[in-house]
Amino acid sequence: MAASAPPFEPAFWQGKRVLLTGHTGFKGSWLALWLQSLGAEVHGLALDPPTEPALYAVANVAAGMASDTRADIRDEAAVRAVFAAVRPEIVLHLAAQPLVRLSYAEPVATYATNVMGTVHVLEAARHTPGVRAIVNVTTDKCYENREWVWGYRENEAMGGFDPYSSSKGCAELVTSAYRRSFLAGGGVALASARAGNVIGGGDWALDRLVPDILRALAAGEPVAIRNPSAIRPWQHVLEPLAGYLVLAQRLVEDGAALAEGWNFGPQELDAQPVQWIVERLVEGWGEGASWRRDAGEHPHEAHYLKLDISKAGARLGWRPRWDLAQALARVLEWQRAWLQGADMRAVCLEQIASYTQQNMNKD
């Protein structure tokens, strides 16, 4: 069987003027580095990094930014000012309040950021000449979760039990309304991207499985797991980022034909329970690592959550390249390099290059 073409062309991004919101976050930092390595002119709009330490600082992401604006997407005037200054060709909207448990503590801020923040970005984009493509990144949790054992398709109903999930369902409805009401006839192609539970080096967020595991392992403590049987679509962070890149490129090239919702999740076998993840990370860490069940009271979490990714494969030529075992190995590789004081920008760029060179041309 002949090798397939890469799902995106690196040369396409050379010199492209890109506005990346949320560039100081975990996913945003990885995407900023990737865009920089492709020769894009990357402009950022975000709050300060959300954790200490943070990948943005550790990997010196700022070194390759064309501009770095610290502003809140809840501030419409600030968002408009950035668009007016940058005049982007492509907008990748990642800025969000991304944590389920924090959304229970701060529901108003979660809705303000994830819903009205999205409105502000799309409103600014439609009033900025030269914008050609927008990818609004939401989440797999935007679907109304019916605890099905099969994957959700892009035409399933939006919903969400908790404030975070529901706010992202709302953001999807906002995206659809702006596409149909304002952008479809104006030459701006707007799509949404729904990814699974991403893992990767440099994530220090609280109440995320892999960062919590790595913190406990580094401290020599047992890993406390609150829901070991919960099944999630785990994937290395580079997987959905590759999806965003191919989607944005194709929106520029093909326009409204691809302006819709897209799932970027793992293969079926990589939708695994939490216990599967923790056991392999504990084993990979080595002697002295262990885990235990956290029997305390916890807010509602979905048990089953999987994505159907067949549309992205059929129409975009995108598919996952690193299986879950390789993704976990890359996480541990990054963590060990960090603990040894390595140049983490170089480590990140090496992993990006490895992903691209070794995997993008495989069948």
Side-chain angles (χ1 to χ4, degrees), residues 126-139:
R126 81 181 183 99
H127 289 293
T128 303
V131 175
R132 301 180 64 189
I134 308 168
V135 176
N136 178 29
V137 174
T138 62
T139 176

Side-chain angles (χ1 to χ4, degrees), residues 167-188:
S167 73
K168 286 297 194 173
C170 292
E172 285 281 354
L173 297 178
V174 166
T175 301
S176 176
Y178 262 79
R179 180 191 302 119
R180 292 183 289 180
S181 299
F182 304 118
L183 300 176
V188 181

Side-chain angles (χ1 to χ4, degrees), residues 97-362:
Q97 192 298 92
L99 301 174
V100 171
R101 287 169 70 89
L102 183 59
S103 77
Y104 282 105
E106 299 180 2
V108 174
T110 298
Y111 283 106
T113 299
N114 294 351
V115 184
M116 288 309 300
T118 298
V119 171
H120 295 159
V121 169
L122 297 182
E123 184 68 8
R126 81 181 183 99
H127 289 293
T128 303
V131 175
R132 301 180 64 189
I134 308 168
V135 176
N136 178 29
V137 174
T138 62
T139 176
D140 57 337
K141 298 173 183 64
C142 68
Y143 294 108
E144 180 62 31
N145 194 313
R146 306 184 191 282
E147 299 289 353
W148 288 333
V149 296
W150 55 84
Y152 291 87
R153 296 167 297 179
E154 287 87 347
N155 60 355
E156 308 282 3
M158 297 294 100
F161 182 100
D162 57 88
Y164 167 73
S165 302
S166 129
S167 73
K168 286 297 194 173
C170 292
E172 285 281 354
L173 297 178
V174 166
T175 301
S176 176
Y178 262 79
R179 180 191 302 119
R180 292 183 289 180
S181 299
F182 304 118
L183 300 176
V188 181
L190 168 61
S192 61
R194 306 153 188 175
N197 284 41
V198 297
I199 60 176
D203 187 1
W204 281 282
L206 295 174
D207 291 320
R208 262 194 204 140
L209 178 66
V210 171
D212 287 348
I213 292 172
L214 294 176
R215 270 189 289 269
L217 293 176
E221 301 171 350
V223 179
I225 300 300
R226 61 179 179 262
N227 194 0
S229 62
I231 295 173
R232 298 287 183 272
W234 310 100
Q235 58 190 154
H236 193 275
V237 64
L238 296 181
E239 300 281 18
L241 298 187
Y244 307 162
L245 291 173
V246 66
L247 176 57
Q249 177 184 331
R250 294 289 300 279
L251 288 173
V252 170
E253 295 172 343
D254 301 333
L258 299 172
E260 51 195 57
W262 297 87
N263 288 340
F264 297 107
Q267 300 285 10
E268 176 73 18
L269 290 176
D270 288 333
Q272 293 285 351
V274 166
Q275 184 172 338
W276 193 97
I277 299 289
V278 68
E279 286 177 347
R280 275 148 188 81
L281 284 175
V282 164
E283 179 182 359
W285 190 264
E287 186 177 353
S290 63
W291 72 279
R292 64 177 176 81
R293 175 76 179 265
D294 184 351
E297 291 293 324
H298 305 290
H300 172 273
E301 293 181 273
H303 184 69
Y304 286 104
L305 184 56
K306 299 180 183 179
L307 292 175
D308 184 319
I309 58 172
S310 55
K311 188 174 85 165
R315 295 178 59 192
L316 296 178
W318 174 92
R319 66 174 178 81
R321 306 288 168 158
W322 282 353
D323 64 23
L324 187 51
Q326 188 170 4
L328 292 172
R330 288 291 182 163
V331 173
L332 289 174
E333 172 189 85
W334 195 101
Q335 187 72 7
R336 290 192 177 102
W338 155 251
L339 293 174
Q340 292 164 6
D343 178 342
M344 298 315 296
R345 180 181 177 89
V347 171
C348 290
L349 291 173
E350 185 283 324
Q351 290 199 348
I352 290 168
S354 177
Y355 179 91
T356 304
Q357 295 165 6
Q358 297 176 20
N359 294 281
M360 299 295 270
N361 285 319
K362 286 185 179 180

